[in-house]
Amino acid sequence: MSNMTTLSPGWAPNPCGARRRRKDRVATILGMIAAGILVLVLTSILWTLLARGIVGLSAGALFKPMGPPGSGGGLANAILGSVIQTAMALAMATPLGLGCGIYLSEYGSKQNRFASCVRFVSDVLMSVPSILVGLFVYQVLVAPFGHFSAFAGSVALAILAVPIIVRTTEDMLRLVPVSMREAGAALGAARWRVTLFLCLRSAKTGVLTGILLALARVSGETAPLLFTSLGNQNWSFSLNHPMASLPVTIYQYAGASYDDWVQLAWAGALLVTLGVLAINIAVRFSARRG
């Protein structure tokens, strides 16, 4: 037994193994430091928003419309305007993005030049600065008609949301096994039925996640709305007229010299952040359930 446990005289530890372990420890430590910095930055932002914004959250801020400095105005019309414009943008972007994503996944092979062009344009739109989208919509829907409008703002937000939905839909449908498509075809179902009632239903959780991510992406956009819907100090429900929005109101109030406006800007920033945070939490839960 002693001969089996005794090491041979020429045995020595492998230096390569020790070096790999040291590199692994260094990489792990660097990764933990990077993660800690990210968490620290996010925590600092949330703490600052909570400390400064929660003071301004009151019934007046939530249920009163915007008003002149010192009048005790709130953010109600801006909140409602953001909800209307974001909902309209999502209503326009969702069917377009779903249809484009389904086409790229089910009908747009790599040899299809048109599909390759569509995929390239979608990727470019995903990285285009939002202010350029706002300028484009301004030239198309604002300047020719001579006035700003909530509809133009919704179109600008929809353009920003479409590529996210397209990419997510395509990726999720590609994860559906080919055997499911073959099973549907073997039962005599048309290809469009297989796509809609089998593939899309199987990937519905991932597709819904992409739609929620697009909603979170556009809900805090300011630059496109400055060139399109502009803003409104009063209640406005007409899509053909300027409409208030929470991001634009935050931008206008944050640089004001009035303390009540600055406080409302912090309260609005907190509302936007909490809304985006709630959407991301919903995305996480939907992904786990799927």
Side-chain angles (χ1 to χ4, degrees), residues 128-138 223-224 227:
V128 166
S130 59
I131 192 171
L132 296 183
V133 175
L135 285 172
F136 168 74
V137 177
Y138 173 83
F227 293 95

Side-chain angles (χ1 to χ4, degrees), residues 271-288:
L271 289 176
V272 171
T273 305
L274 292 178
V276 173
L277 185 62
I279 293 172
N280 280 276
I281 293 174
V283 169
R284 294 289 184 180
F285 275 106
S286 64
R288 287 183 179 180

Side-chain angles (χ1 to χ4, degrees), residues 70-240:
S71 64
L75 300 169
N77 58 327
I79 296 173
L80 182 61
S82 290
V83 172
I84 292 175
Q85 294 177 77
T86 304
M88 282 188 57
L90 209 61
M92 289 186 284
T94 299
L96 182 60
L98 287 177
C100 187
I102 291 172
Y103 168 76
L104 293 177
S105 173
E106 303 300 316
Y107 302 94
S109 61
K110 293 183 178 180
Q111 291 76 23
N112 190 328
R113 293 185 177 180
F114 177 71
S116 299
C117 292
V118 173
R119 197 174 286 111
F120 175 76
V121 171
S122 176
D123 292 340
V124 171
L125 280 177
M126 192 176 296
S127 58
V128 166
S130 59
I131 192 171
L132 296 183
V133 175
L135 285 172
F136 168 74
V137 177
Y138 173 83
Q139 292 295 330
V140 175
L141 294 177
V142 176
F145 298 98
H147 61 83
F148 298 92
S149 66
F151 177 75
S154 300
V155 171
L157 296 180
I159 293 175
L160 294 172
V162 164
I164 301 176
I165 300 175
V166 170
R167 174 57 66 187
T168 308
T169 303
E170 181 186 4
D171 292 342
M172 292 300 104
L173 287 176
R174 288 187 180 276
L175 294 177
V176 177
V178 180
S179 58
M180 183 172 293
R181 296 175 174 87
E182 294 175 345
L187 292 174
R191 188 172 184 180
W192 67 270
R193 286 184 177 274
V194 173
T195 301
L196 292 180
F197 296 104
L198 288 180
C199 299
L200 192 59
R201 184 172 295 180
S202 299
K204 63 180 180 180
T205 302
V207 173
L208 178 62
T209 300
I211 296 173
L212 291 176
L213 288 176
L215 174 61
R217 165 77 167 83
V218 303
S219 59
E221 286 291 343
T222 304
L225 300 181
L226 286 172
F227 293 95
T228 52
S229 62
L230 185 63
N232 198 329
Q233 290 286 329
N234 305 310
W235 291 102
S236 177
F237 301 98
S238 174
L239 301 179
N240 199 35

Side-chain angles (χ1 to χ4, degrees), residues 31-46:
M32 293 177 64
I33 292 174
I37 293 175
L38 181 63
V39 172
L40 180 62
V41 171
L42 179 60
T43 304
S44 300
I45 294 174
L46 292 178

Side-chain angles (χ1 to χ4, degrees), residues 24-34:
D24 179 71
R25 293 194 193 97
V26 172
T28 303
I29 293 173
L30 291 176
M32 293 177 64
I33 292 174

Side-chain angles (χ1 to χ4, degrees), residues 243-262:
M243 182 178 289
S245 60
L246 204 52
V248 174
T249 303
I250 294 170
Y251 171 78
Q252 294 172 343
Y253 280 14
S257 56
Y258 307 104
D259 293 338
D260 55 339
W261 278 17
V262 174

